[in-house]
C-alpha cells in the first residue's frame, strides 16, 4: 500500500493512504489532534469522518492493529528460564502475606522462590529489600522452579 | 484617558478579547477585528453620545509589544517555512509561485505609479498588494475541510514562496527606508549584508548547535532561551539597519529544520498570539480613519486589482500545479485574503518619511480590512462559484 506524506506549513503533516475505494487522508496537527477524511474519487472533496486526540488515536491504532485488549491473566503468565521460571502473582486481600514485609514473609525459606520485583500501581520496584511491605493488589514477580512456584501458589492465597 | 500603564494594558487586552470573540462568533478572521478596535479606541476614536471612545494613545508599552508581535509573527513564518514543501514539487511550485509574484507585484507597481507615487513608494504598495495571508488562509483551509484536498497543497506551497520573497523584499525595503542618505545607505547595506550572511549561516551550518542549545526538558527554560535568542538577534539586526522581522524569519527558519519544531509550535504559539494581537491593534491605533477615506480612490482601485490579480494568478497557478479547474477556482478565491505581511510592510513604511509614512499605512489598513473579510467570505461560498463557472 502506498502512503503519501506531505508537510502542511502551520498545520502539521498530511498522510494519504490508498484504500480499495478511494483514499483515506489523515491530518496530524502540531497540537496532536488527528483528523481523518475519506475521498471517494480523485475529483471528489474529502469528507471528514472523525477527529481524535493523541491518546484516543493510540488506542484506536491498537484496536485496528488487532492488539488483544482483554485483561491479562497475571497467574497464567510465565517465561522460560532454564529450570527456573518467572511468574507474576497478585496478592489478594486475604493473603497471609498482605501487610507483612518481605523479611517477615521469608518466601525463599517457605517456598524456595526469590522475589525479583514487585509491581505496584503500574510501577515496578526491582530487587525489593527485606523491609519492603507487601500490600494487597501488589504483583509479586518471582523466580523459581515449577515446584517452588506451585508451593508459593499454595501459600500466597 | 487612563493614567496608569497597567490600566491601559488592561483596557487593551479586554478590548482585544471582546473584539476577538466577536470575530470568532462571526466566523471571521480576528485580524480585522483587532484593527478596528485600534481605530475605535485610539487617538482618532469617535465620540458616541458625548463620550469619547478614545481611551488609548500609542506609547512605549504598545510600541514594544507591537514590535515583539512583528518579531514573533515572522519568527513563526520562518518556523513554518518548509523546505520540504518547496522541494516536493519544485517545478510546479516555481510556476505557480512565479505567476503569483509577477502578476501581483506588477499590478501593485503599476497602481502606485498611476496614482503618482515614486517607483520606490510603488514598491511598498506592491509589497502590500502582493502577499496573501498565510495565517488567515491556513485557518480557513482547516475550518472548511479543504486541508485534506489537493488544492491546499498548492495554496500552501505558493504561500511559502511568498514568505521567502517577502523576507528578502522587506530586508531590502527596510534597508533603504532606514538607510536615508546614499553614502550612509551604502554603509548600512554593507552592515546589513554581513548580518544577513551571518543569519543565513545560522540557518544552515549553525542549525545543529542551535538545536543543542534548545535541548532542555523544562518548557520554561526552553521558552526563555528561544525568546532570548530571537528577540536579541532581532534587536541586534535593527541596530545595524536590518529589519528585525527578517532576522526573526531567519531564526525561525533555522530552528524549523530541527527536532524542536513541534515543541516550538506548542510552547511559543501563545506568546505569538498575544504579541501579534497587540501589533494588529497598534496598527489600527496609528490609523486615522479619515486618512483611510482620503486614500479612497487608491483603495478602491487596489481592492479591484487585488481581487482580479489574485483570482487570475490563483487560477493559473492552480492549473500550473495540475489542479482540476474546479480546484483552481478554490485556489483563486483563497489567495484573495491579505493580512499580516501587508501590515508588516505598512509598519516599515511608517518608520520612513514623506508620503510613505503619511499615506501608505492608512491605505494598507483599509486594504487588509476589506481583503481579509472578503477573502474569508468568498472561500465560504466557493461552492456556488465552482458550480457556476464549471457548469
Amino acid at each position: 500500500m502506498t502512503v503519501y506524506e506531505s508537510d502542511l506549513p502551520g498545520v502539521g503533516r498530511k498522510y494519504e493512504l490508498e484504500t480499495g475505494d478511494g483514499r483515506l487522508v489523515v491530518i496530524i496537527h502540531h497540537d496532536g489532534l488527528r483528523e481523518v477524511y475519506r475521498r471517494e474519487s480523485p475529483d471528489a472533496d474529502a469528507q471528514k469522518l472523525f477527529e481524535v486526540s493523541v491518546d484516543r488515536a493510540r488506542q484506536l491504532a491498537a484496536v485496528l492493529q488487532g492488539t488483544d485488549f482483554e485483561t491479562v491473566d497475571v497467574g497464567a503468565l510465565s517465561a522460560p528460564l532454564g529450570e527456573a521460571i518467572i511468574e507474576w502473582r497478585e496478592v489478594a486481600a486475604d493473603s497471609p502475606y498482605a501487610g507483612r514485609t518481605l523479611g517477615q514473609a521469608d518466601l525463599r525459606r517457605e517456598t524456595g522462590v526469590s522475589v525479583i520485583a514487585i509491581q505496584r500501581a503500574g510501577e515496578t520496584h526491582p530487587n525489593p529489600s527485606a523491609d519492603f511491605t507487601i500490600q494487597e493488589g501488589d504483583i509479586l514477580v518471582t523466580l523459581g522452579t515449577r515446584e517452588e512456584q506451585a508451593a508459593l501458589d499454595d501459600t500466597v492465597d | 484617558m487612563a493614567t496608569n500603564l497597567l490600566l491601559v494594558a488592561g483596557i487593551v487586552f479586554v478590548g482585544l478579547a471582546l473584539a476577538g470573540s466577536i470575530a470568532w462568533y462571526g466566523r471571521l478572521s480576528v485580524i480585522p477585528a483587532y484593527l478596528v478596535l485600534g481605530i475605535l479606541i485610539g487617538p482618532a476614536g469617535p465620540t458616541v453620545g458625548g463620550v469619547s471612545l478614545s481611551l488609548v494613545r500609542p506609547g512605549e508599552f504598545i510600541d514594544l509589544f507591537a514590535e515583539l508581535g512583528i518579531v514573533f509573527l515572522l519568527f513563526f513564518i520562518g518556523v513554518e517555512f518548509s523546505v520540504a514543501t518547496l522541494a516536493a514539487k519544485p517545478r510546479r511550485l516555481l510556476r505557480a509561485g512565479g505567476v503569483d509574484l509577477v502578476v501581483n507585484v506588477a499590478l501593485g507597481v503599476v497602481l502606485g505609479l498611476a496614482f503618482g507615487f515614486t517607483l520606490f513608494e510603488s514598491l511598498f504598495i506592491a509589497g502590500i498588494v502582493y502577499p496573501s495571508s498565510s495565517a488567515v488562509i491556513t485557518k480557513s483551509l482547516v475550518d472548511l475541510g479543504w486541508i485534506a484536498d489537493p488544492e491546499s497543497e498548492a495554496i500552501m506551497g505558493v504561500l511559502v514562496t511568498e514568505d521567502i520573497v517577502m523576507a528578502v523584499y522587506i530586508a531590502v525595503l527596510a534597508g533603504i527606508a532606514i538607510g536615508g542618505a546614499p553614502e550612509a545607505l551604502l554603509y548600512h547595506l554593507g552592515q546589513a549584508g554581513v548580518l544577513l550572511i551571518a543569519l543565513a549561516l545560522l540557518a544552515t551550518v549553525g542549525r545543529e548547535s542551535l538545536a543543542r542549545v534548545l535541548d532542555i526538558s523544562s518548557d520554561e527554560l526552553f521558552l526563555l532561551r528561544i525568546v532570548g535568542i530571537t528577540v536579541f538577534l532581532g534587536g541586534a539586526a535593527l541596530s545595524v539597519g536590518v529589519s528585525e522581522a527578517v532576522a526573526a524569519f531567519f531564526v525561525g527558519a533555522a530552528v524549523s529544520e530541527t527536532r524542536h519544531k513541534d515543541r516550538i509550535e506548542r510552547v511559543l504559539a501563545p506568546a505569538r498570539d498575544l504579541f501579534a494581537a497587540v501589533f494588529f491593534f497598534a496598527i489600527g491605533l496609528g490609523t486615522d480613519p479619515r486618512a483611510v477615506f482620503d486614500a479612497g480612490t487608491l483603495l478602491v482601485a487596489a481592492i479591484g486589482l487585488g481581487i482580479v490579480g489574485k483570482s487570475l494568478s490563483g487560477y493559473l497557478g492552480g492549473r500550473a500545479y495540475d489542479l482540476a479547474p474546479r480546484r483552481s477556482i478554490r485556489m483563486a478565491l483563497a489567495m484573495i485574503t491579505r493580512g499580516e505581511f501587508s501590515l508588516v510592510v505598512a509598519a516599515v513604511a511608517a518608520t520612513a518619511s514623506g508620503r510613505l509614512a503619511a499615506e501608505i499605512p492608512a491605505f494598507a489598513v483599509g486594504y487588509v480590512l476589506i481583503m481579509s473579510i472578503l477573502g474569508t467570505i468568498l472561500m465560504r461560498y466557493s461552492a456556488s462559484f465552482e458550480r457556476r463557472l464549471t457548469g
Side-chain angles (χ1 to χ4, degrees), chain B residues 207-228:
Chain B
R207 198 191 299 150
E208 189 45 42
S209 338
L210 193 61
R212 268 201 298 278
V213 171
L214 297 175
D215 272 331
I216 173 85
S217 60
S218 154
D219 275 351
E220 185 181 358
L221 293 179
F222 181 80
L223 174 72
L224 286 173
R225 285 182 191 184
I226 192 80
V227 169

Side-chain angles (χ1 to χ4, degrees), chain B residues 34-276:
Chain B
Y34 297 158
L35 283 174
V36 169
L37 177 76
I39 296 172
L40 284 181
I41 69 172
T47 304
V48 179
V51 182
S52 171
L53 287 178
S54 175
L55 293 167
V56 182
R57 304 240 173 285
E60 287 192 342
F61 138 73
I62 291 168
D63 293 350
L64 176 64
F65 266 50
E67 191 101 358
L68 288 169
I70 295 184
V71 166
F72 284 107
L73 272 173
L74 269 288
F75 170 77
F76 261 84
I77 289 172
V79 169
E80 286 155 10
F81 178 74
S82 157
V83 180
T85 302
L86 286 184
K89 285 160 184 163
R91 218 169 274 161
R92 291 192 215 177
L93 207 51
L94 200 65
R95 276 185 304 205
V99 172
D100 180 54
L101 175 72
V102 171
V103 170
N104 295 293
V105 169
L107 283 178
V109 171
V110 168
L111 180 73
L113 293 175
F115 275 80
F117 288 92
T118 65
L119 181 62
F120 177 55
E121 290 161 347
S122 301
L123 281 175
F124 270 90
I125 293 181
I128 290 163
V129 171
Y130 159 62
S132 299
S133 168
S134 313
V136 180
I137 295 172
T138 304
K139 188 173 176 303
S140 293
L141 290 177
V142 174
D143 290 348
L144 294 171
W146 294 9
I147 195 75
D149 288 323
E151 63 270 19
S152 70
E153 230 176 88
I155 292 168
M156 291 177 139
V158 172
L159 289 174
V160 170
T161 66
E162 289 187 357
D163 292 345
I164 187 80
V165 170
M166 286 309 291
V168 177
Y169 208 81
I170 291 175
V172 174
L173 286 187
I176 300 174
I178 300 169
E183 61 273 27
L185 176 67
L186 208 62
Y187 173 69
H188 273 296
L189 284 182
Q191 275 185 322
V194 170
L195 190 90
L196 283 178
I197 290 168
L199 286 170
L201 283 176
L202 178 73
T204 49
V205 283
R207 198 191 299 150
E208 189 45 42
S209 338
L210 193 61
R212 268 201 298 278
V213 171
L214 297 175
D215 272 331
I216 173 85
S217 60
S218 154
D219 275 351
E220 185 181 358
L221 293 179
F222 181 80
L223 174 72
L224 286 173
R225 285 182 191 184
I226 192 80
V227 169
I229 292 169
T230 310
V231 176
F232 177 79
L233 288 176
L238 204 55
S239 69
V240 297
V242 174
S243 158
E244 73 282 22
V246 175
F249 173 82
F250 273 99
V251 178
V255 295
S256 78
E257 299 294 316
T258 67
R259 53 195 169 276
H260 301 296
K261 184 176 180 178
D262 284 357
R263 192 174 184 200
I264 288 170
E265 301 261 359
R266 182 168 54 82
V267 174
L268 263 93
R272 174 205 51 192
D273 293 345
L274 184 68
F275 294 128

Side-chain angles (χ1 to χ4, degrees), chain B residues 347-383:
Chain B
V348 175
T351 64
S353 53
R355 278 186 95 180
L356 217 46
E359 295 176 34
I360 298 215
F363 156 71
V365 167
Y367 186 69
V368 170
L369 268 181
I370 305 283
M371 297 303 260
S372 61
I373 296 175
L374 191 67
T376 312
I377 293 175
L378 285 176
M379 280 176 85
R380 210 180 293 159
Y381 294 103
S382 123

Side-chain angles (χ1 to χ4, degrees), chain A residues 1 6 10 47 53 56 67 69-70 75 83 87 89 93 99 102 108 115 120 122 125 131-132 134 140 151:
Chain A
M1 186 175 72
S6 57
Q47 300 297 321
S53 66
R56 295 273 169 203
T67 309
F69 257 88
E70 280 178 45
E83 281 289 304
E87 283 198 0
R89 203 173 276 97
L102 276 177
R108 178 153 330 134
V115 178
R120 177 177 296 167
H125 303 272
D131 56 4
F132 194 100
I134 302 170
L140 303 181

Side-chain angles (χ1 to χ4, degrees), chain A residues 6-11 14 16 25 27 29-30 35 37 39 42-46, chain B residues 80 82 84-85 138 142 145 147-150 153 156 160 261-262 265 326-327 330:
Chain A
S6 57
D7 243 12
L8 299 175
V11 177
K14 180 174 80 170
E16 294 203 13
V25 185
I27 313 281
H29 292 252
H30 286 305
E35 288 183 289
Y37 291 82
R39 188 161 54 239
D43 297 334
D45 287 332
Chain B
E80 286 155 10
S82 157
T85 302
T138 304
V142 174
I147 195 75
D149 288 323
E153 230 176 88
M156 291 177 139
V160 170
K261 184 176 180 178
D262 284 357
E265 301 261 359
R326 186 170 71 86
R327 299 204 179 280
R330 283 188 173 185

